[in-house]
Amino acid sequence: MSKTLVQPIGQKRLTNVAVVRLKKHGNRFEIACYKNKVLSWRSGVEKDVDEVLQSHTVYSNVSKGVLAKSKDLIRAFGTDDQTKICLEILDKGELQVAGKERESQLSSQFRDIATIVMQKTINPETQRPYTISMIERLMHEIHFAVDPNSSSKKQALEVIRELQKHYPIKRAPMRLRIHVPEQRSPSVLDKLKEWNASIVSREESGSQHSIICEIEPNLFRDCDALIRNLQGRVEILAVNVHVEGDTFVDQHDDYEDDSSSLRKDSTGSVLQLSEKMQKQTISSESGNSMGEVKLNKPAKSASSEGEVKLNKCTTCNAVVGDSKEYREHFKSDWHKHNLRRKTRQLPPLTAEECMADLELGDSKADLKEYSF
């Protein structure tokens, strides 16, 4: 006996589509569109409606293929012309976004906000920008949630204000060139000094004075209004000024490693090795004479450079060895513990005090775990 395959005849299933939904007169109306075309249509980029709509049909449920009834269309829209109704739903309806697509949009906007924050901020100690991964970790730590209905720039400024409450971060200064008459120059300089602006250079050309300075971005409007009142003009040379060069790039790990989870690695050997390197470097530096350096200049240049270069960790107030030991020091529990103390404005601890403090904290955690 042969078995027949029963298939639904009046059902129209549409998958992998973008659904635009409009609720009107207590009924739900939907249209099936191509992905990424609805926004192009609404922004005016796409002009052909056939490139947007998969079919000129109005549904009450696109995923199940249920068509809307004609009497409901007439009562809600005053007509049963499917094309006109589709255009109205396309303009006024709400675009339905799938879970993965919404997650992708939010993650992309989160990345954009972090990029804007990175471009507009610097580390006040090094005058260099934080890395993008570091900014993203700090944003996760303050539990920042992306608002898809707000612009990325507006949210980035809110993130900067929130980060300044918990971490050492500040807005990157703006570099301006100010042109003012000669007799107005002293008053401008006094005002810039009041704003704590740094003067980069000054030039005099006839009756005009040109001043290049760096000021905080929130003072730009006041500065522009002042210069206009003094019959001068302001040129923006750079919106965000960052210190160039990568001499102290390792210091960026100062805050990046603190926000990551603490790893239970063997830091005792690293501390001992760094102390040995410190003693060896200081002793070898004091023992070297200038005559030896001059005699063997090409052969001694690499080793003498390694001996002379000392890296000091300002957070722990300790001198560490070469660049490799310097990086290892930033990954140690000693440095991370002192970094947390620094954010609370507490003095740094030595390596022995740090280990004792960590052991005390572990014992307190164990007691709290077993308390009844």
Side-chain angles (χ1 to χ4, degrees):
M1 182 177 177
S2 62
K3 293 183 179 181
T4 58
L5 182 64
V6 180
Q7 292 180 336
I9 299 173
Q11 194 175 37
K12 209 173 177 186
R13 283 191 177 275
L14 292 174
T15 57
N16 195 26
V17 297
V19 178
V20 181
R21 180 181 299 165
L22 179 65
K23 291 184 178 180
K24 199 170 184 181
H25 286 268
N27 294 315
R28 185 177 70 177
F29 303 100
E30 297 179 349
I31 55 175
C33 306
Y34 291 102
K35 284 184 177 293
N36 304 324
K37 286 292 184 178
V38 178
L39 297 178
S40 301
W41 170 268
R42 290 180 175 176
S43 61
V45 176
E46 184 61 60
K47 302 294 184 181
D48 189 2
V49 70
D50 292 326
E51 295 292 328
V52 181
L53 297 176
Q54 293 208 3
S55 64
H56 294 258
T57 309
V58 183
Y59 300 85
S60 61
N61 193 322
V62 170
S63 61
K64 294 182 179 179
V66 180
L67 301 177
K69 297 179 181 178
S70 297
K71 61 178 183 179
D72 293 337
L73 294 176
I74 294 173
R75 185 175 61 185
F77 299 97
T79 180
D80 58 351
D81 189 346
Q82 300 274 340
T83 303
K84 290 183 179 179
I85 297 172
C86 286
L87 291 175
E88 183 176 345
I89 296 174
L90 192 59
D91 292 333
K92 300 180 180 178
E94 180 183 355
L95 178 63
Q96 305 299 304
V97 183
K100 290 185 177 179
E101 190 175 354
R102 183 182 294 107
E103 184 180 349
S104 174
Q105 291 177 356
L106 291 177
S107 64
S108 176
Q109 191 173 4
F110 186 89
R111 184 81 175 182
D112 293 340
I113 294 170
T115 303
I116 296 173
V117 172
M118 180 195 68
Q119 293 171 350
K120 290 183 174 293
T121 58
I122 57 172
N123 184 338
E125 293 185 358
T126 62
Q127 302 298 317
R128 288 175 173 80
Y130 288 100
T131 59
I132 186 70
S133 60
M134 196 186 313
I135 294 294
E136 288 181 348
R137 289 175 189 170
L138 295 180
M139 289 170 65
H140 283 302
E141 285 189 3
I142 63 173
H143 306 290
F144 171 73
V146 178
D147 182 7
N149 299 319
S150 181
S151 65
S152 298
K153 184 178 180 180
K154 181 180 178 181
Q155 295 184 75
L157 296 176
E158 294 174 357
V159 168
I160 292 172
R161 286 193 290 269
E162 190 65 27
L163 289 176
Q164 287 175 338
K165 299 177 183 178
H166 304 90
Y167 303 101
I169 188 172
K170 73 169 187 176
R171 288 287 301 272
M174 297 179 67
R175 180 168 293 175
L176 308 176
R177 178 183 279 120
I178 301 174
H179 299 276
V180 290
E182 183 179 359
Q183 63 273 17
R184 306 286 188 178
S185 180
S187 60
V188 173
L189 291 174
D190 293 339
K191 198 65 178 176
L192 290 176
K193 186 177 180 181
E194 182 183 336
W195 287 336
N196 294 325
S198 60
I199 307 298
V200 179
S201 65
R202 295 170 56 185
E203 295 178 2
E204 298 181 7
S205 57
S207 62
Q208 288 285 326
H209 278 207
S210 175
I211 304 171
I212 298 178
C213 63
E214 295 178 0
I215 66 169
E216 296 294 327
N218 55 353
L219 298 173
F220 173 71
R221 292 181 184 273
D222 298 336
C223 179
D224 186 45
L226 174 67
I227 301 304
R228 287 179 185 273
N229 292 334
L230 299 177
Q231 288 84 37
R233 59 190 177 91
V234 178
E235 296 180 24
I236 300 177
L237 301 180
V239 178
N240 305 304
V241 178
H242 297 151
V243 176
E244 297 179 356
D246 54 353
T247 309
F248 302 101
V249 166
D250 294 332
Q251 292 184 8
H252 287 261
D253 297 335
D254 202 332
Y255 296 102
E256 183 173 4
D257 290 326
D258 177 58
S259 59
S260 62
S261 59
L262 292 175
R263 294 183 295 271
K264 300 295 182 180
D265 53 355
S266 57
T267 58
S269 59
V270 175
L271 294 175
Q272 292 174 2
L273 186 58
S274 64
E275 290 175 1
K276 280 184 181 179
M277 288 294 297
Q278 176 184 347
K279 293 176 182 177
Q280 290 175 2
T281 309
I282 294 174
S283 61
S284 59
E285 184 184 10
S286 61
N288 281 337
S289 62
M290 294 298 293
E292 292 175 351
V293 175
K294 288 179 181 177
L295 285 173
N296 275 333
K297 207 169 189 177
K300 193 82 175 175
S301 60
S303 61
S304 63
E305 185 182 352
E307 291 171 357
V308 171
K309 186 177 178 182
L310 290 175
N311 296 306
K312 182 177 180 180
C313 176
T314 56
T315 302
C316 300
N317 196 18
V319 179
V320 193
D322 57 6
S323 58
K324 183 178 179 182
E325 298 302 324
Y326 193 52
R327 286 191 293 270
E328 290 295 332
H329 169 72
F330 280 123
K331 299 177 183 178
S332 65
D333 288 340
W334 177 25
H335 178 77
K336 293 175 183 177
H337 189 66
N338 277 331
L339 189 58
R340 286 192 293 271
R341 291 177 60 86
K342 185 177 181 180
T343 57
R344 297 195 296 269
Q345 297 182 349
L346 296 175
L349 299 177
T350 63
E352 294 79 8
E353 292 172 343
C354 175
M355 296 305 293
D357 199 8
L358 289 174
E359 289 175 2
L360 182 61
D362 293 340
S363 61
K364 285 183 179 179
D366 293 340
L367 287 174
K368 187 181 290 186
E369 219 175 283
Y370 290 101
S371 61
F372 298 97

mmCIF file of all heavy atoms in Angstrom, residues 19 57 62 66 73 87 118 146 156 184 193 196 200 240-241 244 251 254 283 286 294 304 317 331 333 362 368-369:
data_model
loop_
_atom_site.group_PDB
_atom_site.id
_atom_site.type_symbol
_atom_site.label_atom_id
_atom_site.label_comp_id
_atom_site.label_asym_id
_atom_site.label_seq_id
_atom_site.Cartn_x
_atom_site.Cartn_y
_atom_site.Cartn_z
ATOM 1 N N VAL A 19 10.811 41.164 8.538
ATOM 2 C CA VAL A 19 9.380 41.399 8.701
ATOM 3 C C VAL A 19 9.163 42.809 9.238
ATOM 4 O O VAL A 19 9.793 43.215 10.222
ATOM 5 C CB VAL A 19 8.757 40.357 9.659
ATOM 6 C CG1 VAL A 19 7.269 40.632 9.855
ATOM 7 C CG2 VAL A 19 8.979 38.955 9.125
ATOM 8 N N THR A 57 2.170 41.542 -0.894
ATOM 9 C CA THR A 57 1.098 40.854 -0.186
ATOM 10 C C THR A 57 1.155 41.246 1.280
ATOM 11 O O THR A 57 2.241 41.322 1.865
ATOM 12 C CB THR A 57 1.237 39.321 -0.325
ATOM 13 O OG1 THR A 57 1.380 38.987 -1.706
ATOM 14 C CG2 THR A 57 0.021 38.610 0.253
ATOM 15 N N VAL A 62 3.564 36.481 8.859
ATOM 16 C CA VAL A 62 4.456 36.120 7.752
ATOM 17 C C VAL A 62 5.072 34.741 7.969
ATOM 18 O O VAL A 62 5.164 33.941 7.042
ATOM 19 C CB VAL A 62 5.556 37.195 7.609
ATOM 20 C CG1 VAL A 62 6.635 36.718 6.635
ATOM 21 C CG2 VAL A 62 4.968 38.495 7.115
ATOM 22 N N VAL A 66 0.043 33.294 6.811
ATOM 23 C CA VAL A 66 -1.387 33.590 6.925
ATOM 24 C C VAL A 66 -1.631 34.977 6.331
ATOM 25 O O VAL A 66 -1.067 35.968 6.806
ATOM 26 C CB VAL A 66 -1.849 33.542 8.397
ATOM 27 C CG1 VAL A 66 -3.335 33.847 8.496
ATOM 28 C CG2 VAL A 66 -1.527 32.192 9.001
ATOM 29 N N LEU A 73 -8.419 44.810 6.011
ATOM 30 C CA LEU A 73 -7.629 45.814 5.308
ATOM 31 C C LEU A 73 -8.453 47.059 5.010
ATOM 32 O O LEU A 73 -7.987 48.191 5.193
ATOM 33 C CB LEU A 73 -7.077 45.224 4.005
ATOM 34 C CG LEU A 73 -6.052 44.083 4.131
ATOM 35 C CD1 LEU A 73 -5.686 43.546 2.753
ATOM 36 C CD2 LEU A 73 -4.800 44.557 4.845
ATOM 37 N N LEU A 87 3.255 49.961 1.095
ATOM 38 C CA LEU A 87 4.069 51.170 1.218
ATOM 39 C C LEU A 87 3.837 51.875 2.548
ATOM 40 O O LEU A 87 4.772 52.381 3.173
ATOM 41 C CB LEU A 87 3.755 52.126 0.058
ATOM 42 C CG LEU A 87 4.226 51.671 -1.337
ATOM 43 C CD1 LEU A 87 3.737 52.639 -2.399
ATOM 44 C CD2 LEU A 87 5.737 51.545 -1.385
ATOM 45 N N MET A 118 38.153 55.600 22.989
ATOM 46 C CA MET A 118 39.606 55.483 22.870
ATOM 47 C C MET A 118 40.199 56.713 22.181
ATOM 48 O O MET A 118 41.253 57.214 22.586
ATOM 49 C CB MET A 118 39.954 54.225 22.086
ATOM 50 C CG MET A 118 41.445 53.994 21.906
ATOM 51 S SD MET A 118 41.828 52.782 20.646
ATOM 52 C CE MET A 118 41.318 53.645 19.169
ATOM 53 N N VAL A 146 24.268 49.113 25.851
ATOM 54 C CA VAL A 146 24.103 49.911 24.640
ATOM 55 C C VAL A 146 22.624 50.234 24.436
ATOM 56 O O VAL A 146 21.764 49.362 24.574
ATOM 57 C CB VAL A 146 24.658 49.158 23.414
ATOM 58 C CG1 VAL A 146 24.441 49.964 22.143
ATOM 59 C CG2 VAL A 146 26.130 48.860 23.593
ATOM 60 N N ALA A 156 29.110 57.559 23.958
ATOM 61 C CA ALA A 156 30.546 57.557 24.264
ATOM 62 C C ALA A 156 30.883 58.647 25.279
ATOM 63 O O ALA A 156 31.682 58.428 26.199
ATOM 64 C CB ALA A 156 31.360 57.746 22.981
ATOM 65 N N ARG A 184 45.276 92.779 21.960
ATOM 66 C CA ARG A 184 44.404 91.848 22.681
ATOM 67 C C ARG A 184 45.149 90.614 23.179
ATOM 68 O O ARG A 184 44.601 89.799 23.905
ATOM 69 C CB ARG A 184 43.262 91.376 21.771
ATOM 70 C CG ARG A 184 42.449 92.498 21.140
ATOM 71 C CD ARG A 184 41.539 93.143 22.142
ATOM 72 N NE ARG A 184 40.618 94.079 21.509
ATOM 73 C CZ ARG A 184 39.682 94.751 22.146
ATOM 74 N NH1 ARG A 184 39.571 94.609 23.464
ATOM 75 N NH2 ARG A 184 38.885 95.583 21.503
ATOM 76 N N LYS A 193 45.797 81.005 30.623
ATOM 77 C CA LYS A 193 46.447 80.583 31.873
ATOM 78 C C LYS A 193 45.411 80.232 32.925
ATOM 79 O O LYS A 193 45.579 79.282 33.694
ATOM 80 C CB LYS A 193 47.357 81.700 32.370
ATOM 81 C CG LYS A 193 48.201 81.323 33.575
ATOM 82 C CD LYS A 193 49.128 82.454 33.974
ATOM 83 C CE LYS A 193 49.966 82.052 35.191
ATOM 84 N NZ LYS A 193 50.877 83.173 35.600
ATOM 85 N N ASN A 196 44.148 76.810 32.453
ATOM 86 C CA ASN A 196 45.214 75.798 32.536
ATOM 87 C C ASN A 196 45.569 75.229 31.161
ATOM 88 O O ASN A 196 45.867 74.035 31.035
ATOM 89 C CB ASN A 196 44.821 74.658 33.485
ATOM 90 C CG ASN A 196 44.698 75.130 34.912
ATOM 91 O OD1 ASN A 196 45.436 75.995 35.358
ATOM 92 N ND2 ASN A 196 43.736 74.555 35.642
ATOM 93 N N VAL A 200 51.792 76.024 23.177
ATOM 94 C CA VAL A 200 52.767 75.275 22.383
ATOM 95 C C VAL A 200 53.754 76.223 21.717
ATOM 96 O O VAL A 200 54.966 76.017 21.770
ATOM 97 C CB VAL A 200 52.048 74.403 21.340
ATOM 98 C CG1 VAL A 200 53.073 73.633 20.496
ATOM 99 C CG2 VAL A 200 51.088 73.431 22.014
ATOM 100 N N ASN A 240 41.753 65.759 18.880
ATOM 101 C CA ASN A 240 42.280 64.989 20.004
ATOM 102 C C ASN A 240 43.794 64.915 19.867
ATOM 103 O O ASN A 240 44.301 64.447 18.845
ATOM 104 C CB ASN A 240 41.699 63.567 20.021
ATOM 105 C CG ASN A 240 40.183 63.568 20.026
ATOM 106 O OD1 ASN A 240 39.567 64.171 20.888
ATOM 107 N ND2 ASN A 240 39.575 62.897 19.050
ATOM 108 N N VAL A 241 44.504 65.351 20.883
ATOM 109 C CA VAL A 241 45.965 65.353 20.855
ATOM 110 C C VAL A 241 46.465 64.212 21.723
ATOM 111 O O VAL A 241 46.153 64.133 22.914
ATOM 112 C CB VAL A 241 46.529 66.697 21.378
ATOM 113 C CG1 VAL A 241 48.044 66.656 21.386
ATOM 114 C CG2 VAL A 241 46.025 67.848 20.531
ATOM 115 N N GLU A 244 52.902 61.200 20.807
ATOM 116 C CA GLU A 244 53.381 60.246 19.810
ATOM 117 C C GLU A 244 54.537 59.435 20.364
ATOM 118 O O GLU A 244 55.188 59.823 21.334
ATOM 119 C CB GLU A 244 53.819 60.981 18.543
ATOM 120 C CG GLU A 244 52.673 61.728 17.872
ATOM 121 C CD GLU A 244 53.140 62.454 16.630
ATOM 122 O OE1 GLU A 244 54.356 62.426 16.363
ATOM 123 O OE2 GLU A 244 52.295 63.047 15.946
ATOM 124 N N GLN A 251 53.643 50.476 29.665
ATOM 125 C CA GLN A 251 52.871 51.030 30.769
ATOM 126 C C GLN A 251 51.385 50.921 30.529
ATOM 127 O O GLN A 251 50.604 51.067 31.456
ATOM 128 C CB GLN A 251 53.254 52.502 30.977
ATOM 129 C CG GLN A 251 54.674 52.673 31.482
ATOM 130 C CD GLN A 251 54.984 54.124 31.766
ATOM 131 O OE1 GLN A 251 54.105 54.975 31.717
ATOM 132 N NE2 GLN A 251 56.232 54.392 32.079
ATOM 133 N N ASP A 254 49.550 48.577 32.596
ATOM 134 C CA ASP A 254 49.328 48.995 33.978
ATOM 135 C C ASP A 254 47.867 48.860 34.377
ATOM 136 O O ASP A 254 47.543 48.376 35.448
ATOM 137 C CB ASP A 254 49.780 50.453 34.120
ATOM 138 C CG ASP A 254 50.090 50.798 35.554
ATOM 139 O OD1 ASP A 254 49.491 50.172 36.433
ATOM 140 O OD2 ASP A 254 50.921 51.691 35.788
ATOM 141 N N SER A 283 74.633 46.923 40.425
ATOM 142 C CA SER A 283 76.043 46.649 40.712
ATOM 143 C C SER A 283 76.890 46.728 39.456
ATOM 144 O O SER A 283 77.994 47.268 39.464
ATOM 145 C CB SER A 283 76.186 45.266 41.364
ATOM 146 O OG SER A 283 75.722 44.261 40.495
ATOM 147 N N SER A 286 77.349 50.409 38.422
ATOM 148 C CA SER A 286 78.328 51.129 39.229
ATOM 149 C C SER A 286 79.747 50.651 38.956
ATOM 150 O O SER A 286 80.709 51.399 39.097
ATOM 151 C CB SER A 286 77.993 50.962 40.717
ATOM 152 O OG SER A 286 78.035 49.596 41.072
ATOM 153 N N LYS A 294 84.305 53.232 26.051
ATOM 154 C CA LYS A 294 84.891 53.881 24.881
ATOM 155 C C LYS A 294 85.763 52.924 24.089
ATOM 156 O O LYS A 294 85.871 53.010 22.881
ATOM 157 C CB LYS A 294 85.726 55.082 25.330
ATOM 158 C CG LYS A 294 84.863 56.242 25.819
ATOM 159 C CD LYS A 294 85.724 57.402 26.264
ATOM 160 C CE LYS A 294 84.866 58.553 26.765
ATOM 161 N NZ LYS A 294 85.677 59.667 27.267
ATOM 162 N N SER A 304 75.831 47.216 27.181
ATOM 163 C CA SER A 304 75.822 48.397 28.037
ATOM 164 C C SER A 304 74.471 49.079 28.002
ATOM 165 O O SER A 304 74.001 49.591 29.008
ATOM 166 C CB SER A 304 76.902 49.378 27.575
ATOM 167 O OG SER A 304 76.626 49.825 26.263
ATOM 168 N N ASN A 317 56.383 51.568 43.161
ATOM 169 C CA ASN A 317 57.530 52.345 43.652
ATOM 170 C C ASN A 317 58.772 51.462 43.764
ATOM 171 O O ASN A 317 59.469 51.444 44.780
ATOM 172 C CB ASN A 317 57.201 53.000 45.006
ATOM 173 C CG ASN A 317 58.184 54.111 45.349
ATOM 174 O OD1 ASN A 317 58.881 54.617 44.467
ATOM 175 N ND2 ASN A 317 58.257 54.467 46.615
ATOM 176 N N LYS A 331 52.230 41.561 35.188
ATOM 177 C CA LYS A 331 51.311 40.419 35.293
ATOM 178 C C LYS A 331 51.305 39.804 36.686
ATOM 179 O O LYS A 331 50.541 38.876 36.951
ATOM 180 C CB LYS A 331 51.691 39.355 34.261
ATOM 181 C CG LYS A 331 51.609 39.855 32.828
ATOM 182 C CD LYS A 331 52.076 38.789 31.852
ATOM 183 C CE LYS A 331 52.064 39.313 30.419
ATOM 184 N NZ LYS A 331 52.551 38.313 29.452
ATOM 185 N N ASP A 333 50.832 39.361 40.813
ATOM 186 C CA ASP A 333 49.816 39.737 41.794
ATOM 187 C C ASP A 333 50.256 40.953 42.608
ATOM 188 O O ASP A 333 49.423 41.715 43.107
ATOM 189 C CB ASP A 333 49.538 38.555 42.740
ATOM 190 C CG ASP A 333 48.768 37.447 42.043
ATOM 191 O OD1 ASP A 333 48.157 37.749 41.010
ATOM 192 O OD2 ASP A 333 48.775 36.305 42.532
ATOM 193 N N ASP A 362 42.763 35.857 51.570
ATOM 194 C CA ASP A 362 42.297 34.497 51.284
ATOM 195 C C ASP A 362 41.737 33.829 52.530
ATOM 196 O O ASP A 362 40.713 33.130 52.476
ATOM 197 C CB ASP A 362 43.446 33.660 50.707
ATOM 198 C CG ASP A 362 43.853 34.159 49.328
ATOM 199 O OD1 ASP A 362 43.027 34.854 48.696
ATOM 200 O OD2 ASP A 362 44.984 33.871 48.914
ATOM 201 N N LYS A 368 34.639 33.310 55.686
ATOM 202 C CA LYS A 368 33.311 33.741 55.297
ATOM 203 C C LYS A 368 32.565 32.606 54.586
ATOM 204 O O LYS A 368 31.345 32.458 54.695
ATOM 205 C CB LYS A 368 33.421 34.945 54.356
ATOM 206 C CG LYS A 368 32.076 35.588 54.021
ATOM 207 C CD LYS A 368 32.261 36.755 53.068
ATOM 208 C CE LYS A 368 32.926 37.921 53.735
ATOM 209 N NZ LYS A 368 32.970 39.109 52.852
ATOM 210 N N GLU A 369 33.316 31.765 53.883
ATOM 211 C CA GLU A 369 32.705 30.668 53.153
ATOM 212 C C GLU A 369 32.123 29.626 54.110
ATOM 213 O O GLU A 369 31.060 29.043 53.853
ATOM 214 C CB GLU A 369 33.761 30.028 52.246
ATOM 215 C CG GLU A 369 33.205 29.626 50.896
ATOM 216 C CD GLU A 369 34.323 29.122 50.001
ATOM 217 O OE1 GLU A 369 35.070 29.969 49.486
ATOM 218 O OE2 GLU A 369 34.445 27.908 49.881
#
